[in-house]
């Protein structure tokens, strides 16, 4: 089974914790779908977080989807807790950057994008709140391409309905892949995985985490187009957080690296 560590990052109130709840629900890891405004989400479980309706501490949860095991790290979106968020970046295989469809690219979204670039982390994008009035998919995609990267490409069904143009847009992101596409008319799945892993392509998904729309497509995309990152030869672990549980027990959060 493919095992990955995925971080969820977003500007505050973009719906990041709601997306993590939806991912856990769709995968069958939780039976009941919690809501931030109901103060019953699985990951925001500290009293202060539930009272304020924001994530303050990075949390983790494990889910299985098809042949993939994901360790989700839900990180704070509020700028005051950026240090807590940035500590998790050193252990991520991939990140999901959540963009509010109602607000577009916000200030902290750009900060997060620059951090992901600095740490060379491959990124999937989820444009949330598309169920709200006034959201426009094409306008949002144009803004994302302009302000983040021109190689942010829709991977959900509406973006792939025109298969030929979708493959051509992918091929244009890499000269070698483009040569193969011009010869065969195809872009192999392995090539798409490599393009994402080396940050030449950034898959975009649109939906509503609150209504669990587009969440399954995001999970399917992560499962299909991700790859296990190579580990070092020597066994080790990287500690990214030390905390205490409500009983006062010390907890060490780490990511194991390397072979045995």
């Amino acid at each position: 089974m493919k095992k990955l560590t995925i971080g969820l990052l977003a500007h505050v109130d973009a719906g990041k914790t709601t997306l993590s709840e939806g991912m856990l629900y769709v995968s069958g890891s939780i039976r009941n779908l919690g809501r931030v405004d109901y103060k019953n989400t699985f990951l925001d479980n500290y009293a202060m977080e539930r009272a304020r309706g924001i994530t303050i501490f990075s949390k983790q949860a494990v889910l299985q989807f098809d042949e993939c095991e994901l360790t989700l790290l839900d990180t704070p979106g509020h700028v005051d807790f950026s240090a807590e968020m940035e500590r998790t970046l050193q252990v991520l295989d991939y990140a999901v950057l959540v963009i509010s469809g109602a607000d577009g690219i916000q200030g902290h979204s750009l900060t997060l994008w620059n951090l992901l670039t600095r740490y060379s982390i491959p990124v999937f994008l989820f444009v949330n709140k598309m169920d709200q009035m006034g959201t426009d998919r094409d306008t949002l995609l144009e803004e994302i391409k302009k302000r983040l990267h021109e190689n942010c490409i829709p991977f959900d069904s509406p973006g792939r309905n025109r298969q030929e143009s979708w493959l051509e847009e992918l091929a244009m992101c890499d000269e070698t892949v483009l040569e193969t596409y011009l010869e065969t008319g195809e872009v192999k799945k392995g090539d798409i995985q490599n393009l994402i892993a080396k940050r030449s392509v950034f898959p975009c998904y649109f939906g509503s985490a609150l209504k669990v729309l587009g969440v399954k497509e995001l999970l399917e995309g992560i499962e299909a187009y991700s790859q296990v990152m190579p580990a070092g030869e020597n066994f080790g672990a990287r500690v990214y957080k030390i905390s205490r549980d409500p009983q006062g027990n010390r907890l060490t959060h780490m990511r194991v690296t390397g072979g045995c």
Side-chain angles (χ1 to χ4, degrees), residues 52-101:
R52 298 182 62 179
I54 60 173
T55 302
I56 298 175
F57 307 104
S58 297
K59 311 288 195 332
Q60 68 183 46
V62 178
L63 65 85
Q64 292 186 6
F65 186 80
D66 290 341
E67 297 301 319
C68 192
E69 180 181 283
L70 303 180
T71 298
L72 287 185
L73 297 182
D74 183 22
T75 66
H78 199 288
V79 66
D80 290 347
F81 308 110
S82 293
E84 177 78 6
M85 173 276 301
E86 191 168 353
R87 278 194 290 268
T88 67
L89 298 183
Q90 59 188 316
V91 299
L92 299 183
D93 293 311
Y94 291 85
V96 176
L97 180 62
V98 184
I99 305 294
S100 170

Side-chain angles (χ1 to χ4, degrees), residues 62-251:
V62 178
L63 65 85
Q64 292 186 6
F65 186 80
D66 290 341
E67 297 301 319
C68 192
E69 180 181 283
L70 303 180
T71 298
L72 287 185
L73 297 182
D74 183 22
T75 66
H78 199 288
V79 66
D80 290 347
F81 308 110
S82 293
E84 177 78 6
M85 173 276 301
E86 191 168 353
R87 278 194 290 268
T88 67
L89 298 183
Q90 59 188 316
V91 299
L92 299 183
D93 293 311
Y94 291 85
V96 176
L97 180 62
V98 184
I99 305 294
S100 170
D103 301 303
I105 305 295
Q106 298 168 279
H108 194 49
S109 303
L110 291 172
T111 301
L112 293 169
W113 182 263
N114 291 332
L115 283 170
L116 292 167
T117 301
R118 182 192 304 174
Y119 285 90
S120 299
I121 299 172
V123 182
F124 289 77
L125 290 97
F126 186 81
V127 185
N128 193 24
K129 303 186 180 182
M130 293 301 295
D131 57 317
Q132 295 191 11
M133 293 291 292
T135 55
D136 183 83
R137 178 189 175 95
D138 293 337
T139 301
L140 286 164
L141 182 59
E142 183 179 352
E143 181 186 10
I144 289 170
K145 285 178 172 288
K146 182 178 180 180
R147 302 190 65 187
L148 297 184
H149 201 287
E150 62 181 359
N151 291 352
C152 294
I153 299 174
F155 268 58
D156 52 1
S157 297
R160 297 182 59 180
N161 282 342
R162 299 176 61 187
Q163 181 77 358
E164 185 175 344
S165 61
W166 182 73
L167 291 176
E168 183 176 333
E169 190 174 7
L170 283 172
M172 291 290 290
C173 298
D174 183 89
E175 290 186 4
T176 303
V177 176
L178 178 58
E179 289 179 4
T180 303
Y181 174 72
L182 293 174
E183 291 176 0
T184 66
E186 297 180 354
V187 178
K188 296 180 180 179
K189 181 179 177 180
D191 289 334
I192 299 176
Q193 291 175 334
N194 290 333
L195 288 172
I196 296 169
K198 67 180 186 179
R199 291 177 48 87
S200 295
V201 167
F202 305 95
C204 295
Y205 294 83
F206 294 77
S208 169
L210 186 62
K211 296 185 176 179
V212 202
L213 300 174
V215 178
K216 182 179 179 181
E217 288 79 2
L218 173 65
L219 283 170
E220 289 173 342
I222 293 173
E223 195 279 332
Y225 296 114
S226 63
Q227 57 188 20
V228 178
M229 299 303 180
E233 294 183 0
N234 298 322
F235 177 80
R238 184 184 295 274
V239 176
Y240 65 92
K241 180 181 177 181
I242 296 176
S243 63
R244 293 187 182 276
D245 64 14
Q247 288 73 42
N249 299 312
R250 181 172 173 175
L251 305 175

Side-chain angles (χ1 to χ4, degrees), residues 15-43 50 208-213 215 219:
K16 169 185 49 57
T17 298
T18 305
L19 177 60
S20 69
E21 194 80 4
M23 295 172 75
L24 291 167
Y25 179 75
V26 169
S27 68
S29 298
I30 58 175
R31 293 185 177 181
N32 298 311
L33 192 63
R35 288 179 50 156
V36 173
D37 52 343
Y38 293 171
K39 308 182 190 303
N40 63 350
T41 56
F42 181 77
L43 289 173
R50 292 187 168 179
S208 169
L210 186 62
K211 296 185 176 179
V212 202
L213 300 174
V215 178
L219 283 170

